[in-house]
Amino acid sequence: MIDQPGSDDNGVQLKLISRKMVHSLNNMLFVISSYSEFIKETHYDEETAENLQRIRTATDQCQKILLDWREEADELIPDPPGT
Amino acid sequence: MIKDRLLVIDDELGPRESLRFLFKDTYDVICTDSVDKGIEELKKCAPDCIITDIKMPKKTGIEGLKEIRAIDKQVSIIMLTGYGSLETAQEAIRHGATDYLKKPFDTQEIRDVVAGYIERTKLNRKQTETSRHLESLTSELQKQLNAKEKLAQLGEKSSEFVHDLSNPLSVINGYVHILIQDIKDKRNEDKEINISYLEQIGKSVSRCQDMLTLWRERSQRTSSSIQRISLGIPTAEVAKNAQSLSIQKGAVVELTEGPKECLIEGNEVQIFRSIQNVVGNALEALPEKGGRINVRWRIDGARALVEVEDNGGGFPPNKIADLQTKYYTTKGESGGMGLGLFITKNILEAHGGSLILANNSSGTGALVTLAFPLLM
């Protein structure tokens, strides 16, 4: 009864997948930020700059959410030894 | 057959040997002439009963009693006293003796007493062992409950995380569309390249959103909890949400209520999502004018059904099988990864149900049925 694969394993597995996802999402956000910068370099008008800034702000917000999520997941499910 | 063990501690040879003689055929008898030697034997052989004299040189039986109890709380200890004073007997009982007998002892009486206490020791040990086992099971159960609790918390946090992240992603998407339009309207030699950059941003956002969809599906599957659900509740909720969205498209979403006692068993969030996916697809398929969706639930034999019927043109008959496979999409470049129906199908199958894609009888659109096993 007690030797079944525990929920702990599920939690750890879930957290490791989450970590990979966070990594990939961060990469995507980096891509978004970079392209925004490229556009800013060639479009000088105020309106475009403002819209790009809003994209930048939203991207920063995403990164902050990712960071918070990672901390929360770490707090709830500690890393298994050797990871 | 292994005999039960009796340890005798008495400095006097006479009583010691008579006890050996009395019990040697029934038990494995170990005799020692001092408390210290008796303690050594106790550690070595874990006897089922100890008979010890009270008055002995060096250490008395009472002192020995304390040491024995520190080592073995279960073993029955019978004190032998030549004095028979009530005070000594009380002191012995206070320090953990099981009983006391007066010297000289009656052989039948001591036989009966020892037999009874040996059984008592065995019972005590069994009880202690069972308690320990029970404690370890309780602690393991507690551990598992804690882990489940943590997992449930993780699932909850994960939902918040997906929700929180989806908002800024929608914002990015919105501004990307504005910027594309804006840049198209402006004169700039780098116009084309900037539009392609924005398209890249749009694709990245779309990938992030798809990744979140996959994550949500995964995390909910892992931390899911099964409960009894009245199918009408999530169906009505999805229809209500769709009604507000349909206003923007000038379309109508009708809800045809079914029986209240249409019960199924499953994960509420996942069931909600599966209905939402189907209704979301129906909304996307609606024509620009005169769009109409009917959402209903009903019982069909042993199945509880949610039916979503639209007038959005229906499925290409030769593509119905492909639509339930991963990454197949009819929405083209601008659309998603084709996960919606695949995820819905998986959710239904995980609940012992099925997803049925068909065109409606009037030939104006699709009729998607989510079939769940009815809880009788």
Side-chain angles (χ1 to χ4, degrees):
Chain A
M1 181 181 118
I2 55 174
D3 288 328
Q4 288 170 355
S7 308
D8 261 343
D9 298 340
N10 281 342
V12 169
Q13 201 191 1
L14 200 63
K15 208 186 73 171
L16 295 177
I17 295 169
S18 149
R19 193 163 290 178
K20 282 184 197 162
M21 175 194 67
V22 168
H23 180 75
S24 306
L25 282 170
N26 257 325
N27 283 345
M28 292 294 166
L29 292 172
F30 176 73
V31 170
I32 293 170
S33 299
S34 307
Y35 280 117
S36 301
E37 287 303 313
F38 296 157
I39 299 166
K40 212 190 259 179
E41 281 169 19
T42 51
H43 264 82
Y44 304 104
D45 67 283
E46 205 176 305
E47 198 186 348
T48 306
E50 202 176 302
N51 284 331
L52 285 168
Q53 185 51 44
R54 284 179 183 143
I55 289 180
R56 186 67 207 230
T57 308
T59 312
D60 290 347
Q61 206 179 337
C62 286
Q63 272 161 339
K64 168 85 174 64
I65 293 165
L66 286 178
L67 209 68
D68 289 349
W69 160 250
R70 199 181 151 148
E71 271 176 24
E72 273 176 336
D74 278 347
E75 205 176 297
L76 280 169
I77 318 266
D79 281 354
T83 54
Chain B
M1 198 179 98
I2 300 169
K3 284 183 183 173
D4 295 326
R5 286 198 182 114
L6 176 66
L7 173 63
V8 177
I9 308 171
D10 199 326
D11 62 313
E12 288 178 83
L13 184 67
R16 197 169 68 224
E17 286 309 310
S18 64
L19 283 168
R20 185 199 297 276
F21 185 76
L22 190 64
F23 289 111
K24 68 178 169 55
D25 293 335
T26 324
Y27 308 118
D28 181 6
V29 185
I30 302 133
C31 291
T32 63
D33 60 3
S34 71
V35 167
D36 288 339
K37 285 182 189 164
I39 297 291
E40 271 176 42
E41 289 299 331
L42 168 72
K43 287 178 185 166
K44 272 197 274 181
C45 68
D48 301 295
C49 185
I50 299 173
I51 301 174
T52 174
D53 190 19
I54 292 185
K55 197 181 175 198
M56 284 183 282
K58 293 184 191 168
K59 274 184 189 166
T60 68
I62 300 288
E63 286 171 307
L65 182 62
K66 292 178 197 168
E67 288 186 34
I68 293 167
R69 275 288 170 251
I71 298 165
D72 189 338
K73 288 189 171 54
Q74 275 80 44
V75 66
S76 297
I77 307 169
I78 301 165
M79 309 298 290
L80 288 180
T81 171
Y83 309 103
S85 78
L86 187 64
E87 203 181 313
T88 319
Q90 280 175 338
E91 196 189 353
I93 299 291
R94 207 167 48 242
H95 287 106
T98 316
D99 207 345
Y100 74 100
L101 293 175
K102 287 180 215 161
K103 278 183 189 173
F105 41 75
D106 174 76
T107 50
Q108 192 51 48
E109 186 192 5
I110 201 165
R111 269 182 204 276
D112 293 344
V113 168
V114 168
Y117 285 129
I118 282 186
E119 286 312 307
R120 185 166 150 169
T121 303
K122 286 193 207 163
L123 203 66
N124 282 347
R125 287 195 172 136
K126 200 165 185 173
Q127 196 182 6
T128 310
E129 195 189 321
T130 311
S131 299
R132 266 193 214 129
H133 185 56
L134 205 66
E135 267 172 36
S136 110
L137 281 179
T138 310
S139 130
E140 186 59 37
L141 196 68
Q142 192 58 47
K143 226 169 91 183
Q144 289 200 11
L145 282 173
N146 287 345
K148 266 198 189 322
E149 176 75 17
K150 280 187 175 178
L151 203 56
Q153 279 182 36
L154 192 72
E156 209 173 291
K157 295 270 178 205
S158 157
S159 303
E160 287 170 21
F161 157 71
V162 171
H163 178 261
D164 290 349
L165 200 60
S166 299
N167 286 338
L169 286 174
S170 305
V171 170
I172 296 173
N173 224 7
Y175 283 112
V176 166
H177 287 295
I178 293 171
L179 276 165
I180 289 178
Q181 200 50 52
D182 188 39
I183 289 172
K184 270 183 187 165
D185 296 344
K186 285 174 184 163
R187 283 188 180 181
N188 188 303
E189 56 186 23
D190 295 316
K191 195 157 109 176
E192 290 309 316
I193 192 157
N194 281 333
I195 288 173
S196 80
Y197 287 161
L198 282 165
E199 279 166 357
Q200 284 301 323
I201 294 178
K203 276 182 192 165
S204 300
V205 172
S206 177
R207 280 194 198 110
C208 287
Q209 286 164 333
D210 288 335
M211 227 182 284
L212 287 177
T213 305
L214 280 172
W215 164 254
R216 191 164 50 183
E217 195 237 346
R218 172 72 202 226
S219 64
Q220 280 169 358
R221 197 173 57 216
T222 313
S223 59
S224 68
S225 61
I226 301 300
Q227 51 190 294
R228 185 179 277 234
I229 296 153
S230 175
L231 196 54
I233 295 172
T235 310
E237 201 181 330
V238 171
K240 203 177 152 197
N241 292 345
Q243 275 160 358
S244 16
L245 289 170
S246 66
I247 295 168
Q248 297 166 12
K249 298 189 88 173
V252 177
V253 176
E254 301 163 333
L255 173 70
T256 308
E257 293 193 10
K260 282 202 165 44
E261 287 299 302
C262 187
L263 294 175
I264 61 167
E265 208 170 42
N267 179 279
E268 199 179 7
V269 181
Q270 291 202 15
I271 287 166
F272 181 86
R273 280 188 58 214
S274 62
I275 304 169
Q276 196 178 37
N277 277 344
V278 172
V279 174
N281 282 345
L283 271 171
E284 283 180 22
L286 288 181
E288 280 186 18
K289 280 182 187 171
R292 185 171 287 272
I293 298 173
N294 180 265
V295 183
R296 53 188 178 258
W297 78 87
R298 65 186 178 95
I299 293 173
D300 175 39
R303 300 185 306 168
L305 309 179
V306 175
E307 291 174 329
V308 181
E309 187 175 358
D310 65 60
N311 63 347
F315 301 115
N318 56 339
K319 298 288 181 200
I320 286 182
D322 295 336
L323 282 164
Q324 294 187 43
T325 57
K326 205 175 187 177
Y327 305 128
Y328 184 87
T329 179
T330 54
K331 294 174 193 164
E333 281 286 305
S334 60
M337 285 172 81
L339 287 166
L341 284 177
F342 174 74
I343 289 171
T344 304
K345 179 176 165 265
N346 279 353
I347 292 174
L348 283 154
E349 284 174 357
H351 285 81
S354 55
L355 178 70
I356 305 150
L357 304 181
N359 287 324
N360 62 12
S361 53
S362 60
T364 55
L367 172 63
V368 179
T369 306
L370 297 93
F372 298 90
L374 181 70
L375 199 64
M376 302 287 190

